[in-house]
Amino acid sequence: MSAGPVESDLPAGIGRPAHRALVAAGYTRLDQLAGRSARELLKLHGMGPKALGLIRIALTERGQSLDD
């Protein structure tokens, strides 16, 4: 029996592969990505520059950022 959908506020435009990669790594909330390095996130299978850019924008809108 599978669990229901994971609640997430990750940007919708990041695409399914990136979303799955983040959720599999334990990131379901945008706040959890604040302070993480771009290099660390790009190592996740399914994450790419487009998704990373959308995450940066979403974090900036909240006054947060990745740790570069």
Side-chain angles (χ1 to χ4, degrees), residues 34-63:
R36 299 284 182 243
S37 75
R39 184 176 297 202
E40 174 187 345
L41 296 178
L42 285 172
K43 287 181 183 177
L44 300 175
H45 182 72
M47 279 294 294
K50 179 184 175 189
L52 190 63
L54 293 171
I55 288 168
R56 283 185 196 278
I57 291 167
L59 286 171
T60 299
E61 288 172 354
R62 292 181 175 206

Side-chain angles (χ1 to χ4, degrees), residues 10-27:
L10 298 172
I14 65 171
R16 281 189 234 159
H19 190 270
R20 280 192 302 265
L22 290 167
V23 170
Y27 301 115

